[in-house]
Every structure is written in structure tokens, then in C-alpha cells.
Amino acid sequence: HSKIMIHSSENGTTRELVTEPKITECNFNSLSACPTGKWLALWGGMDDGQSSGVLLIDRDSGEVTRVKHGSGPRIFWSRNGRHMYYVGFFSKENRTAKLRRDMQTGEVVELSETPPFYDHYSAISPDGRKVAYADKDNGSIKVAPIVRGEARVLVKAVGVRSMFWSADGRFIGYVQNGQLWRIASDGGEPVRINFEMPPGLKHLRLHSDGRQILFSAHRYANKTEIWVLENFLPPEKNGDPDTNKT
């Protein structure tokens, strides 16, 4: 069976995270780590007779908590780890909604009239106010307010797969046709990052320190590798977006 492994970038050690209750079904593409290091979240199921959904895992104890209404599979975090964003399903009303959970208070807020953030073609800004996403219908990357408002076209781009915001919110990085690009979040000309990308690149994640990109690649049949890329963005400006409480 599949295992959840935690690798320390500080001392190079790797350990298995044993969960309780045991997770019997999971979508590892949905696995997402809270920037504080406290939680892991994924879409999966336990041997409790309930349908699969969003699960929270305590990184230290392995304790698993089911998130009410969480249907996944894409899960986002604010940069300071205060909020978790996910898609919820309300069975009595037979509808889905985009939700924001306060990890300190447990309060859940429904985000109405928002663009999609439920797959690998979207990313939420560090301050939690905007979402960037690939509009596959007209071949562009758009940025829109997370709650309500008009989306604007950032750049025309066909074949976008994954994207992320820089830690200071100044840039958006994305993969287009196997190449890594960045563009200023307020617009401008995209810049190709001169890096020889391995085949099958996907699942981009920005490390909480803002200095590393993690991604998976498939150079060999039936084998997935995890890569780390550094020195890919200009230095951050002064100021910490984590101080913005939204």
C-alpha cells in the first residue's frame, strides 16, 4: 500500500507518517502541507463507512480528522497557514461550494462567485485575496478576487498545467508546454526560466521559505521523482505578506 513519507530538508532524514485511523484510500495528487508544518491535507477515505473527502493529518501524531463537507480534491493554504481553501459538497442541497476554513477558530466561510481553484491549474495569492487560474476555454491566465469581482487576463497562454505565486506576491510562475515561466502578477511580458525541465513535470509547490519549487517528474516508466529548483525568482521586496490577516 502507499505510504506518506516526510523528508527533512534540514538534516536529510526521511520517515513514514503512520496515521490513526488508518487511511485506506487516498489521492496523493491532492496532498498539501500547511506552511506552519502542523498539518497535512489530502483527499482520501478511512475505514469508517463514510465517503471519501478532505482529511487533515497531524504531522507529529498522525491523528486524522475528517473535514466536514470537504470533497476536494485540490487543497490550498494561505502563506501563514491561517486558512485552508477547498471545495465542499452539501448533500442535502446537492451543490458544491468553495470554502475557506480558519485553522485557529474552525470557522468555515463560503466563498461565493469565485473562479475555479479546485485543480492544478490555479493558485491562491499569499495574502489570500486573489486567485490566478488558467482559463482553458480562451487560452489565458487570469487573476480574479477570491470573493467577488471581475477577472482580468494576465497573459495569453495555451497549454498551462501548474502555477504558483511567489512568496511576496510579485510574480506568478507557471508551466507551459513543459517549460517554466514567470510573469509579474500585475502584468507584463512573461520571462522563461532557463532551466532544462525533466519530462512529465507537474504538481508544482512553492516551499514555505519562498526560495524553492518542488515538483514531480516522470523520466522513467513507472517511476515518479521529486525535484527541487532554487534561485528562480528575483529577491523579495521588504515586507512580509504573512502579516496581512485576511
Side-chain angles (χ1 to χ4, degrees):
H1 69 281
S2 298
K3 301 178 181 179
I4 299 176
M5 309 298 294
I6 297 180
H7 177 79
S8 172
S9 58
E10 295 179 353
N11 57 31
T13 60
T14 302
R15 68 178 178 91
E16 179 184 354
L17 179 62
V18 179
T19 62
E20 179 61 39
K22 184 178 179 180
I23 296 176
T24 57
E25 176 190 6
C26 63
N27 178 349
F28 280 105
N29 291 336
S30 67
L31 183 63
S32 179
C34 176
T36 64
K38 171 65 174 175
W39 301 101
L40 296 176
L42 56 75
W43 183 93
M46 299 181 289
D47 190 16
D48 58 2
Q50 298 187 47
S51 300
S52 298
V54 176
L55 305 177
L56 275 177
I57 308 169
D58 187 298
R59 192 193 67 171
D60 296 323
S61 68
E63 182 180 0
V64 183
T65 304
R66 183 180 296 276
V67 176
K68 187 176 181 179
H69 301 304
S71 64
R74 192 72 167 98
I75 303 160
F76 296 92
W77 298 90
S78 62
R79 189 187 177 195
N80 59 8
R82 176 69 184 267
H83 296 110
M84 181 178 73
Y85 301 84
Y86 58 99
V87 175
F89 177 70
F90 297 85
S91 56
K92 291 183 179 180
E93 304 169 34
N94 193 29
R95 68 181 182 91
T96 59
K98 301 169 184 68
L99 306 175
R100 181 180 68 193
R101 177 190 175 102
D102 190 310
M103 298 304 294
Q104 293 183 10
T105 66
E107 179 187 17
V108 176
V109 176
E110 183 173 333
L111 304 175
S112 60
E113 303 177 23
T114 60
F117 61 78
Y118 48 78
D119 56 26
H120 295 286
Y121 306 98
S122 55
I124 293 176
S125 64
D127 63 9
R129 295 180 176 178
K130 300 176 183 177
V131 56
Y133 63 100
D135 187 333
K136 292 175 282 187
D137 292 334
N138 65 8
S140 65
I141 295 176
K142 294 182 177 180
V143 175
I146 194 68
V147 178
R148 60 179 57 87
E150 293 295 325
R152 60 181 175 87
V153 175
L154 188 65
V155 63
K156 288 290 186 179
V158 178
V160 174
R161 297 191 55 149
S162 294
M163 65 178 64
F164 63 91
W165 291 73
S166 64
D168 60 0
R170 294 168 57 207
F171 295 92
I172 294 172
Y174 60 95
V175 176
Q176 181 183 17
N177 299 323
Q179 300 295 330
L180 186 60
W181 296 75
R182 73 167 186 256
I183 187 171
S185 57
D186 57 359
E189 290 295 321
V191 177
R192 178 180 169 183
I193 297 176
N194 190 19
F195 170 68
E196 189 66 29
M197 306 299 286
L201 169 68
K202 57 183 179 179
H203 305 143
L204 268 74
R205 298 287 193 275
L206 182 68
H207 193 281
S208 57
D209 64 10
R211 298 182 178 90
Q212 298 175 324
I213 300 175
L214 286 78
F215 58 90
S216 65
H218 302 272
R219 294 189 300 166
Y220 311 103
N222 300 320
K223 183 179 181 181
T224 300
E225 299 174 322
I226 298 177
W227 287 60
V228 177
L229 175 64
E230 299 176 323
N231 303 320
F232 57 94
L233 289 173
E236 289 189 27
K237 289 183 177 179
N238 293 332
D240 185 358
D242 281 4
T243 59
N244 192 327
K245 299 179 187 290
T246 58

